[in-house]
């Protein structure tokens, strides 16, 4: 099995730690970034299959981040899941229009997180 | 586009103001006629043409 | 000599051509503008070259030598400053909707009506003689052309005919636009055409005289040398009574006046299509100036040689040469060149002066005396005032020609007008750069200047033309007081009358202007206007955007359609697509270029400032300030009524509107704060819950974790739980404080006890992080009335912040506690050497849910964002003040000032 590459971008250190541990334990190849700028740099190098993206971040927020990814030809196939604390995305269509493939609302369970990721990466 | 250097232009204007006034004009008066042509005429034209070149240079240079 | 019946049809054809060009120019203005380039802008400003330059320069050289050139050296020196001065003035005029030079000065000094009227009347007095000499020049040249010294019944009325036709022209092409920022394109096209025509005519006649009648420059000058004519012409000292002092003051005079002549101001500031034209026009104009003056001296000297045995006026040499040689075609060309120079000046000067008259005097007068106020009637009155003031200006000039016009030469009258106009220079230039300059200074300076001008220049001119019969005053002074001689005030002899008058009027004008401004206190509106004029920004600076801000297409789209309708909006969006190959759709994030493009379009509809504010709001760039609100209102007001005069009546409405808008703004703000509070709370709660949940699940489901990994997980869970409970505590406390439900237990305590309790509470944490707390608190036994728990909480909060925000780049980390005491209060100072707080954030940190971003502080644990807000409220409840002093990367010092018990 080829290890799928996942990038986690969130300014909350604890969330990154948790998600990273879960995904590494499942055999995913992960990278972490604590802000949008760094995240973009890593994304260009790392070419992840999927990005888990916090919406509320300083400097570059999740929506701007995703639009920048969408404009990059090299990252055409990269999927994006927004992590949101509700209020920022109203439904799936809205999230989609903002450049995401899916969104997940805090707080969420490990199971929910994994099923969303599996769904996108298997499809 | 950068804005055009104000200080430079003001310095140029002051300098030419100086060139067009005493004592320079007094010096011109001592020459009066230069090869049949009033020297002040030559002086005025040379300075004005020089000024045109300077203004053009400053504006073009600062715009880039 | 040319037959009268040939020249009249030629004139009619030429005038018809001008009307045709104007008509075509106006028609083109909606499609591809004729005048939208820097050449036309430069050419339009050559109305500075009037019939005075065309005929009079030669006359001046022939009679008194080279000094004519001072009139052109001023503008030459001014040329490098165009880019600075003109652009600033153009911006101010666009933004403030200025309609004339008098409006400019009056608006600058507090929109003062009296000042506007004063300047209008003064300018009218200065300029009418100046227009009249143009009429006179046309009539004189006409008579020379048809060689009829006898007052022919038709040709005698030439000035009147010209005045009438020019009135008609100005009414048709000079008043079309009521809004000040629009350009009279047809009129400007005509001015540019006449500029080219007069230049070509003058150069042709110059070449004709120099190379065909004589054998080139060398020939003219060597013959002149032989006859001893050249020497006096070439010498500055000899050509001016006052020598170099005259030379100097005449240069200053033309330097000032170039921008201040009403026609020049009008063309520079109000008929400018695009301020970028100024850059190139500044040197194009200089080239024109050089071309226009090149043949002045040769023609003058040639005239002196050629016509030495005649009594022709030197002013007419330009026209005499072709007539004397029987070259009728060239004579007609020269006549039309002079005609162009005169009419160009007449047209623009009339527009400028009539606009001043109608806006400052006629319209306010009639509106004040009007009983009823139906809109249609007011509009009729306004357009009638605008039209009638045009023939009033021209007929006044005509009357002046008839009564006084004889006797004075072109140059003399022109220079007297110049000195008059120069009286506006201190208030004009001072107003652009000196904030303290105020209305009192301006009015006193201008009145004094005007008075001196009348006494030293106008009054003697009347005496010399025989209108006042008291020649003795000129030679002996009034009542034989020689110190008051109009040409030699206070014994200042040896200057020519023009520089003498200029010296005294401008010196005293400046003196009173400065004294008046320094020693009187301006009103609020004067200060406001001063700031507006002096701090006007480069429009390019408005374009600066925060690059991290994003705007979606639909947001901008919804905003724009509110102002200009969906049809127009779609049209512009399509145009943008065509031009830049970029089509935006609903949720596309916009590039700055497109935002700027739309802002530009919007500003055509609602004005620059409103557009900028509307778009800035969308981008969250900066909040709407009170000042800007007022500005929007003023622009809206302007757009609705289309006329300043009418808005006087809408003051009441304006005030109500303002109050409504302000309270609406305030409500919105409160609402927004509440929404943000809820959103932030939920966000802040959800984040720690998420990590706690995920990490616990991990620990539960994955027994095969390493010990150290487990340790990290558990530590994070504990931290996040603490954060959660802190957040809940703080939120509840905050709510209680806000609702006034907190229980307070006030008792008397010693300050030092409270402090040492707090220090003890945080000392384990501070020891962990290696931060030293030094307690220098020295005012033991000071009693305060306080709630111990809450006050300790405040101190602990400040300590914790200091510990959290230590500067990793420094070797030692410390917190120092000291105290200051005065008669009623004790101040506890808590200073750390941490990362500091930027000045602009000093106020913000006390707001709810604000956590300042600091680059050295990226991955630190977050707090609730409520601590300092609560601390401030607690201190306030103790009748004390919590404040902060800080310098970024150096220190932070919190000061708690509390009243103590005696």
């Amino acid at each position: 099995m080829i290890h799928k590459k996942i990038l986690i971008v969130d300014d909350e250190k604890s969330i990154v730690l948790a998600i990273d541990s879960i995904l590494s334990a499942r055999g995913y190849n992960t990278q972490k970034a604590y802000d949008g700028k760094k995240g973009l740099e890593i994304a260009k190098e790392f070419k992840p299959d999927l990005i888990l993206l916090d919406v509320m971040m300083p400097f570059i927020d999740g929506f701007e981040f995703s639009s920048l990814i969408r404009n990059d030809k090299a990252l055409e196939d990269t999927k994006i899941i927004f992590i949101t604390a509700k209020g920022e995305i109203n439904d799936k269509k809205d999230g989609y229009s903002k450049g995401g493939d899916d969104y997940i609302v805090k707080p969420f369970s490990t199971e929910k997180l994994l099923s969303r990721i599996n769904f996108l990466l298997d499809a | 586009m950068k804005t055009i250097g104000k200080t430079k232009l003001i310095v140029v204007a002051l300098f030419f103001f100086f060139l067009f006034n005493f004592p320079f004009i007094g010096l011109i008066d001592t020459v009066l006629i230069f090869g049949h042509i009033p020297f002040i005429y030559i002086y005025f034209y040379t300075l004005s043409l020089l000024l045109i070149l300077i203004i053009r240079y400053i504006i073009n240079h600062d715009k880039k | 000599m040319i037959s009268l019946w040939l020249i009249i049809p030629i004139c009619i054809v030429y005038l018809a051509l001008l009307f045709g060009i104007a008509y075509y120019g106006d028609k083109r203005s909606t499609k591809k503008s004729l005048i939208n380039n820097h050449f036309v802008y430069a050419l339009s400003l050559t109305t500075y070259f009037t019939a005075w330059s065309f005929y009079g320069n030669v006359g001046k050289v022939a009679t008194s030598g080279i000094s004519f050139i001072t009139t052109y050296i001023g503008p030459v020196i001014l040329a490098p400053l165009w880019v600075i001065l003109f652009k600033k003035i153009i911006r101010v005029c666009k933004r403030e909707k200025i309609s004339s030079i008098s409006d400019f000065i009056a608006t600058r000094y507090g929109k003062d009506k009296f000042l506007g009227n004063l300047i209008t009347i003064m300018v009218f007095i200065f300029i009418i003689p100046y227009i009249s000499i143009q009429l006179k020049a046309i009539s004189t040249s006409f008579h020379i052309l048809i060689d009829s010294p006898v007052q022919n019944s038709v040709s005698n009325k030439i000035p009147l005919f010209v005045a009438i036709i020019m009135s008609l022209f100005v009414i048709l092409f000079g008043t079309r636009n009521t809004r000040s920022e629009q350009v009279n394109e047809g009129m400007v096209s005509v001015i540019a055409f006449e500029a080219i025509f007069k230049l070509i005519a003058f150069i042709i006649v110059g070449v004709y005289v120099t190379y065909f009648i004589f054998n080139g420059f060398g020939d003219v000058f060597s013959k002149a040398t032989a006859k001893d004519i050249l020497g006096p012409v070439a010498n500055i000292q000899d050509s001016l009574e006052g020598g170099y002092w005259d030379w100097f003051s005449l240069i200053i005079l033309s330097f000032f006046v170039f921008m201040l002549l009403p026609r020049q101001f009008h063309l520079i500031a109000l008929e400018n299509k695009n301020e970028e034209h100024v850059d190139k026009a500044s040197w194009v104009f200089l080239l024109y100036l050089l071309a226009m003056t090149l043949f002045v001296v040769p023609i003058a000297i040639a005239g002196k040689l050629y016509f030495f045995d005649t009594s022709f006026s030197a002013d007419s040499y330009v026209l005499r040469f072709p007539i004397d040689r029987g070259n009728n075609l060239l004579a007609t060309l020269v006549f039309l060149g002079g005609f162009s120079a005169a009419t160009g000046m007449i047209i623009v000067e009339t527009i400028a002066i009539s606009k001043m008259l109608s806006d400052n005097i006629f319209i306010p007068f009639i509106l004040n005396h009007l009983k009823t106020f139906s809109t249609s009637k007011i509009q009729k009155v306004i357009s009638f005032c605008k039209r009638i003031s045009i023939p009033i200006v021209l007929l006044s000039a005509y009357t002046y020609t008839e009564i006084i016009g004889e006797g004075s030469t072109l140059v003399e009258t022109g220079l007297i007008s110049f000195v008059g106009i120069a009286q506006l220079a201190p208030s004009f230039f001072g107003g652009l750069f000196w904030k303290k300059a105020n209305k009192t200074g301006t009015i006193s300076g201008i009145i004094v200047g005007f008075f001196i001008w009348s006494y030293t220049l106008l009054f003697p001119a009347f005496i010399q033309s025989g209108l006042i019969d008291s020649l003795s005053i000129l030679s002996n002074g009034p009542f034989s007081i020689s110190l008051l001689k109009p040409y030699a005030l206070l014994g200042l002899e040896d200057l020519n009358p023009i520089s003498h008058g200029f010296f005294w009027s401008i010196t005293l004008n400046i003196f009173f202007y400065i004294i008046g401004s320094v020693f009187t206190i301006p009103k609020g509106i004067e200060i406001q206007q001063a700031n507006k004029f002096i701090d006007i920004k480069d429009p390019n600076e408005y374009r600066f955007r925060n690059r991290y801000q994003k705007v979606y297409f639909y947001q901008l789209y919804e905003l724009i359609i509110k102002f200009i309708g969906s049809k127009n909006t779609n049209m512009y969006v399509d145009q943008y697509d065509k031009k830049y190959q970029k089509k935006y759709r609903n949720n596309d994030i916009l590039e700055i270029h497109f935002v700027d493009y739309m802002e530009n379009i919007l500003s055509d509809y609602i004005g620059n400032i409103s557009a900028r504010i509307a778009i800035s709001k969308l981008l969250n760039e900066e909040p709407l300030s009170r000042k800007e609100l007022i500005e929007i209102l003023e622009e809206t007001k302007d757009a609705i009524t289309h006329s300043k005069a009418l808005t006087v009546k809408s003051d009441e409405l304006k005030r109500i509107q303002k109050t409504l808008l302000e309270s609406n703004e305030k409500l919105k703000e409160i609402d927004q704060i509440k929404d943000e509070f809820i959103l932030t709370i939920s966000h802040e709660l959800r984040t720690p819950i998420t990590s706690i949940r995920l990490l616990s699940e991990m620990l539960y489901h994955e027994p095969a974790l390493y010990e150290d990994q487990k340790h990290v997980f558990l530590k994070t869970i504990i931290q996040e739980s603490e954060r959660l409970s802190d957040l809940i505590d703080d939120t509840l406390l905050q709510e209680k404080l806000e609702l006034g439900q907190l229980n307070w237990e006030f008792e008397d305590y010693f300050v030092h006890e409270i402090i040492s309790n707090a220090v003890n509470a945080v000392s384990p944490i501070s020891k962990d992080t290696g931060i030293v707390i030094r307690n220098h608190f020295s005012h033991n036994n000071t009693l305060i009335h306080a709630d111990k728990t809450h006050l300790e909480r405040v101190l602990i909060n400040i300590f914790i912040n200091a510990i959290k925000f230590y500067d990793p780049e420094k070797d030692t980390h410390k917190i120092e506690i000291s105290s200051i005491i005065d008669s009623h209060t004790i101040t506890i100072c808590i200073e750390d050497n941490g990362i500091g707080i930027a000045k602009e954030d000093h106020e913000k940190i006390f707001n709810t849910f604000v956590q300042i971003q600091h680059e050295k502080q990226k991955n630190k644990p977050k707090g609730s964002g409520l601590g300092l807000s609560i601390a401030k409220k607690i201190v306030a409840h103790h009748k004390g003040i919590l404040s902060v002093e800080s310098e970024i990367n150096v220190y932070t010092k919190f000061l708690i000032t509390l009243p103590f018990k005696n």
Side-chain angles (χ1 to χ4, degrees):
Chain A
M1 164 184 162
I2 306 156
H3 296 297
K4 295 274 186 183
K5 293 187 282 187
I6 298 181
L7 169 64
I8 309 155
V9 189
D10 195 328
D11 62 324
E12 293 286 348
K13 223 179 170 182
S14 60
I15 300 259
V16 175
L17 172 74
I19 297 179
D20 181 44
S21 316
I22 292 167
L23 296 181
S24 311
R26 293 290 183 287
Y28 289 105
N29 180 4
T30 59
Q31 289 269 13
K32 302 169 276 191
Y34 297 113
D35 65 72
K37 266 192 247 175
K38 190 83 189 153
L40 276 175
E41 279 168 32
I42 296 174
K44 286 199 178 111
E45 284 272 307
F46 182 56
K47 295 200 175 45
D49 300 294
L50 184 133
I51 301 173
L52 284 163
L53 188 57
D54 186 26
V55 175
M56 260 201 198
M57 285 188 300
F59 306 126
I60 301 180
D61 78 9
F63 295 146
E64 190 175 359
F65 188 102
S66 70
S67 84
L68 290 169
I69 293 289
R70 287 289 170 246
N71 287 338
D72 192 335
K73 272 265 172 334
L75 298 170
E76 230 170 16
D77 296 326
T78 302
K79 308 280 191 223
I80 293 175
I81 298 179
F82 285 124
I83 302 170
T84 139
K86 211 163 196 171
E88 297 137 356
I89 298 173
N90 299 322
D91 54 41
K92 204 161 182 167
K93 218 176 107 195
D94 190 25
Y96 196 78
S97 72
K98 283 167 177 159
D101 295 279
D102 201 347
Y103 72 109
I104 183 164
V105 180
K106 288 185 212 172
F108 47 84
S109 65
T110 313
E111 203 188 333
K112 197 169 179 181
L113 174 72
L114 288 172
S115 73
R116 297 286 172 95
I117 292 174
N118 282 334
F119 179 78
L120 275 179
L121 290 183
D122 289 346
Chain B
M1 189 197 92
K2 275 200 286 180
T3 46
I4 292 164
K6 286 183 184 172
T7 332
K8 269 186 244 172
L9 292 168
I10 291 171
V11 169
V12 170
L14 281 174
F15 183 59
F16 274 80
F17 178 76
F18 194 52
L19 289 180
F20 276 122
N21 274 293
F22 199 79
F24 284 94
I25 286 299
L27 289 175
I28 303 307
D29 254 6
T30 60
V31 183
L32 273 194
I33 300 188
F34 185 82
H36 295 307
I37 294 177
F39 191 56
I40 171 73
Y41 223 53
I42 300 169
Y43 187 71
F44 174 69
Y45 271 84
T46 318
L47 281 191
S48 301
L49 287 169
L50 184 66
L51 182 61
I52 290 175
L53 293 178
I54 293 174
I55 295 176
R56 285 200 54 168
Y57 175 79
I58 293 179
I59 289 174
N60 291 338
H61 192 77
D62 283 6
K63 267 195 171 179
K64 267 161 207 161
Chain C
M1 164 192 160
I2 298 171
S3 151
L4 180 65
W5 304 112
L6 180 62
I7 195 68
I8 286 183
I10 290 175
C11 288
I12 290 171
V13 169
Y14 184 77
L15 284 168
L17 181 66
L18 295 188
F19 276 74
I21 292 170
Y23 180 71
Y24 182 64
D26 269 351
K27 254 183 78 178
R28 281 281 292 268
S29 65
T30 46
K31 296 172 211 156
K32 194 169 178 291
S33 169
L34 277 182
I35 66 161
N36 196 3
N37 68 65
H38 59 268
F39 273 110
V40 172
Y41 184 64
L43 286 175
S44 73
L45 296 187
T46 66
T47 51
Y48 186 67
F49 300 88
T50 61
W52 160 12
S53 318
F54 198 86
Y55 295 117
N57 278 345
V58 169
K60 179 86 180 169
V61 174
T63 52
S64 55
I66 198 77
S67 65
F68 88 98
I69 218 164
T70 50
T71 316
Y72 304 101
I73 291 179
V76 168
I77 296 167
L78 183 70
L81 305 178
W82 280 30
V83 175
I84 302 168
L85 285 172
F86 288 13
K87 283 188 179 176
K88 185 163 189 174
I89 291 163
I90 290 167
R91 272 172 220 156
V92 169
C93 287
K94 286 221 166 97
R95 185 166 151 168
E96 297 289 304
K97 308 275 181 288
I98 303 291
S99 66
S100 62
I101 177 97
S102 65
D103 193 23
F104 185 92
I105 296 176
T107 309
R108 160 65 180 80
Y109 296 101
K111 303 192 174 171
D112 191 63
K113 214 180 122 194
F114 171 72
L115 189 57
N117 291 346
L118 177 72
I119 295 174
T120 302
I121 292 167
M122 275 172 46
V123 167
F124 186 80
I125 295 171
F126 299 147
I127 296 296
I128 289 301
Y130 195 13
I131 299 180
S132 97
I133 57 171
Q134 306 298 322
L135 291 173
K136 197 180 132 195
I138 293 175
S139 125
T140 312
S141 59
F142 191 84
H143 282 108
I144 292 171
L145 195 64
I146 60 170
D147 194 19
S148 122
V150 191
Q151 299 289 309
N152 180 309
S153 62
V154 180
S155 64
N156 199 21
K157 288 281 174 284
I158 288 294
L160 183 61
F161 292 149
V162 174
I164 291 169
I165 293 170
M166 287 300 116
S167 303
L168 190 67
F169 182 90
V170 175
I171 289 173
L172 279 176
F173 299 107
T175 58
R176 275 184 356 121
N177 305 306
T178 46
R179 299 210 58 185
S180 50
E181 72 259 39
Q182 282 174 335
V183 174
N184 291 304
E185 301 219 348
M187 188 273 289
V188 176
S189 314
V190 167
I191 298 303
F193 169 79
E194 293 198 315
I196 297 169
F197 196 95
K198 69 190 175 199
L199 179 66
I200 290 174
F202 196 77
I203 286 182
I204 289 179
V205 74
V207 171
Y208 179 73
V209 171
T210 320
Y211 287 95
F212 290 85
I213 299 180
F214 287 80
N215 272 325
F217 282 91
D219 183 40
V220 176
F221 289 127
S222 58
K223 278 187 179 142
T225 318
K227 291 209 165 184
D228 254 355
I229 297 174
L230 197 55
V233 168
N235 192 309
I236 298 165
Q237 187 80 308
D238 291 351
S239 77
L240 289 157
E241 279 170 59
Y244 300 124
W245 169 247
D246 271 359
W247 174 269
F248 172 77
S249 58
L250 290 174
I251 287 175
I252 299 277
L253 178 63
S254 59
F255 177 88
F256 280 166
V257 155
F258 183 80
M259 299 177 67
L260 296 176
L261 284 166
R263 65 172 187 281
Q264 294 295 113
F265 180 84
H266 185 85
L267 290 166
I268 288 168
L270 308 176
E271 304 285 3
N272 172 279
K273 263 273 204 198
N274 177 347
E275 68 171 51
E276 295 306 320
H277 294 165
V278 172
D279 296 352
K280 277 188 186 163
S282 62
W283 58 265
V284 173
F285 178 84
L286 270 193
L287 274 181
Y288 186 100
L289 183 152
L290 294 183
M292 197 73 197
T293 47
L294 184 61
F295 285 103
V296 170
V297 175
I299 296 177
I301 294 168
K304 280 188 102 163
L305 292 167
Y306 193 88
F307 298 111
F308 72 96
D309 55 350
T310 66
S311 60
F312 292 151
S313 150
D315 279 351
S316 67
Y317 284 168
V318 181
L319 194 53
R320 289 285 180 193
F321 271 110
I323 292 177
D324 194 73
R325 284 290 172 123
N327 192 335
N328 284 348
L329 183 67
L330 185 57
T332 312
L333 185 75
V334 170
F335 169 74
L336 289 178
F339 188 77
S340 293
T343 50
M345 181 276 186
I346 294 171
I347 289 168
V348 191
E349 206 79 273
T350 306
I351 292 175
I353 307 265
S354 65
K355 217 170 177 183
M356 274 185 224
L357 278 182
S358 64
D359 288 4
N360 284 302
I361 297 180
F362 296 156
I363 296 175
F365 179 80
I366 289 180
L367 286 184
N368 280 339
H369 289 82
L370 216 60
K371 293 279 183 300
T372 52
F373 274 96
S374 71
T375 320
S376 64
K377 192 170 179 188
I378 288 172
Q379 273 168 356
K380 266 184 206 152
V381 167
I382 287 175
S383 72
F384 176 75
C385 287
K386 281 185 193 294
R387 298 222 152 88
I388 195 69
S389 50
I390 292 160
I392 288 179
V393 170
L394 280 164
L395 291 177
S396 311
Y398 170 71
T399 317
Y400 185 91
T401 322
E402 288 292 291
I403 300 172
I404 309 166
E406 306 302 322
S408 50
T409 68
L410 291 179
V411 172
E412 257 177 83
T413 316
L415 281 175
I416 293 175
S417 291
F418 264 34
V419 177
I421 289 296
Q423 301 312 316
L424 304 180
S427 48
F428 183 84
F429 291 105
L432 279 175
F433 300 104
W434 188 35
K435 275 195 186 172
K436 256 193 88 84
N438 67 23
K439 190 175 82 190
T440 322
T442 303
I443 292 180
S444 43
I446 286 181
I447 289 180
V448 169
F450 179 69
F451 175 75
I452 309 274
W453 173 81
S454 313
Y455 185 68
T456 56
L457 290 169
L458 189 67
F459 178 56
F462 280 166
I463 294 176
Q464 282 179 337
S465 68
L467 269 182
I468 302 171
D469 184 27
S470 50
L471 270 173
S472 67
I473 292 185
L474 283 190
S475 48
N476 301 325
F479 319 109
S480 299
I481 304 169
S482 65
L483 282 183
L484 293 180
K485 276 193 280 186
Y487 281 156
L489 271 188
L490 301 180
L492 187 70
E493 317 238 1
D494 305 330
L495 283 182
N496 87 20
I498 297 292
S499 27
H500 172 264
F502 177 58
F503 172 79
W504 281 117
S505 57
I506 205 75
T507 310
L508 291 172
N509 184 335
I510 292 173
F511 179 77
F512 278 94
Y513 175 67
I514 292 174
I515 295 292
S517 296
V518 170
F519 290 107
T520 59
I521 295 156
K523 281 194 212 148
I525 184 159
E526 290 170 54
I527 297 168
Q528 184 194 330
Q529 289 303 104
N531 288 332
K532 275 195 200 167
F533 273 58
I534 292 164
D535 296 336
I536 192 132
K537 278 187 199 155
D538 188 326
N540 294 320
E541 282 168 33
Y542 293 156
R543 300 278 178 264
F544 178 78
R545 304 259 185 245
N546 183 347
R547 67 185 209 87
Y548 295 124
Q549 282 294 348
K550 67 205 167 339
V551 185
Y552 299 101
F553 176 75
Y554 72 91
Q555 291 177 309
L556 185 64
Y557 184 79
E558 277 165 14
L559 178 84
I560 304 276
I561 57 173
K562 273 186 213 148
F563 290 100
I564 68 175
S566 57
K567 208 179 118 200
N568 285 334
T569 313
N570 288 332
M571 188 184 81
Y572 289 121
V573 171
D574 288 344
Q575 270 178 13
Y576 185 86
D577 178 26
K578 256 183 220 149
K579 212 164 163 187
Y580 302 103
Q581 314 298 330
K582 186 142 177 78
K583 178 89 184 165
Y584 284 103
R585 270 172 244 289
N586 275 352
N587 285 301
D588 294 344
I589 290 177
L590 299 178
E591 276 169 31
I592 286 305
H593 185 259
F594 183 74
V595 178
D596 287 343
Y597 169 82
M598 285 318 268
E599 182 183 321
N600 230 329
I601 284 163
L602 194 56
S603 62
D604 285 345
Y605 288 82
I606 61 171
N608 270 329
I609 303 153
S610 312
R612 183 188 140 238
I613 291 167
I615 299 229
S616 300
K617 269 213 89 162
L618 189 67
L619 296 181
N620 278 329
E621 274 182 341
E622 52 193 80
L624 207 57
S625 72
R626 215 182 130 86
K627 203 178 129 217
E628 283 174 318
L629 239 169
I630 294 168
E631 277 164 3
I632 293 190
L633 278 164
E634 275 175 3
E635 284 208 355
T636 323
K637 175 191 82 182
D638 209 47
I640 293 165
T641 52
H642 272 236
S643 154
K644 279 182 182 171
L646 276 176
T647 55
V648 177
K649 302 287 171 194
S650 65
D651 274 357
E652 182 66 16
L653 195 67
K654 202 174 74 187
R655 224 182 44 236
I656 296 167
Q657 199 181 0
K658 194 171 106 189
T659 331
L660 274 175
L661 258 164
E662 270 170 8
S663 53
N664 188 24
E665 218 36 57
K666 199 165 264 171
L667 276 176
K668 264 195 211 155
E669 224 167 83
I670 292 169
D671 208 40
Q672 206 181 342
I673 290 171
K674 207 78 200 165
D675 285 353
E676 267 167 24
F677 184 83
I678 293 165
L679 193 73
T680 321
I681 279 278
S682 74
H683 184 266
E684 296 293 321
L685 289 172
R686 279 162 193 276
T687 303
I689 291 175
T690 311
S691 25
I692 292 169
R693 177 164 182 180
L694 292 178
L695 290 168
S696 324
E697 282 177 347
M698 201 55 189
L699 287 166
Y700 183 73
H701 291 298
E702 306 277 338
L705 287 171
Y706 296 112
E707 271 313 304
D708 55 344
Q709 227 176 345
K710 272 187 195 165
H711 181 73
V712 172
F713 286 5
L714 286 169
K715 194 180 155 202
T716 311
I717 290 174
I718 292 165
Q719 266 177 10
E720 291 296 297
S721 314
E722 272 171 4
R723 180 174 158 196
L724 207 51
S725 63
D726 280 355
L727 187 70
I728 292 166
D729 285 351
D730 284 355
T731 311
L732 287 176
L733 191 62
Q734 164 86 12
E735 277 301 289
K736 277 187 181 166
L737 265 169
E738 210 123 276
L739 299 170
Q741 289 170 347
L742 198 65
N743 289 328
W744 298 92
E745 286 167 26
F746 274 92
E747 265 174 68
D748 291 349
Y749 294 101
F750 288 116
V751 188
H752 68 270
E753 274 179 14
I754 295 181
I755 293 174
S756 49
N757 281 347
V759 171
N760 290 337
V762 293
S763 61
I765 314 174
S766 70
K767 267 177 200 143
D768 274 0
T769 40
I771 289 167
V772 190
I773 302 182
R774 289 195 197 121
N775 191 348
H776 308 296
F777 187 84
S778 54
H779 298 95
N780 291 356
N781 306 324
T782 311
L783 269 180
I784 54 168
H785 195 60
D787 181 309
K788 189 163 169 259
T789 331
H790 293 321
L791 202 55
E792 274 175 22
R793 176 184 202 101
V794 170
L795 291 168
I796 291 171
N797 190 289
I798 293 170
F799 292 146
I800 298 274
N801 276 341
I803 292 165
K804 252 199 318 200
F805 299 104
Y806 76 91
D807 188 344
E809 283 166 21
K810 285 177 191 145
D811 296 333
T812 55
H813 315 299
K814 58 183 181 195
I815 300 171
E816 311 229 6
I817 303 164
S818 57
S819 53
I820 309 164
I821 200 156
D822 66 18
S823 54
H824 300 290
T825 59
I826 174 138
T827 302
I828 310 164
C829 314
I830 301 160
E831 180 174 346
D832 66 56
N833 63 344
I835 53 176
I837 302 162
K839 188 126 195 112
E840 63 267 23
D841 294 330
H842 284 187
E843 283 300 313
K844 270 198 236 163
I845 54 166
F846 297 112
N847 294 346
T848 35
F849 291 119
V850 172
Q851 303 209 41
I852 304 302
Q853 285 292 343
H854 193 292
E855 51 180 320
K856 289 182 188 167
Q857 231 281 313
K858 250 187 225 162
N859 300 322
K860 288 283 166 70
K862 290 189 168 182
S864 68
L866 286 169
L868 284 171
S869 147
I870 291 169
K872 182 149 189 143
K873 290 195 178 98
I874 291 174
V875 173
H877 206 86
H878 286 80
K879 300 191 173 57
I881 298 162
L882 173 61
S883 61
V884 69
E885 290 168 11
S886 178
E887 196 175 320
I888 201 124
N889 291 336
V890 182
Y891 78 103
T892 306
K893 186 180 195 177
F894 281 95
L895 303 154
I896 306 169
T897 306
L898 295 165
F900 63 77
K901 290 198 81 165
N902 287 318

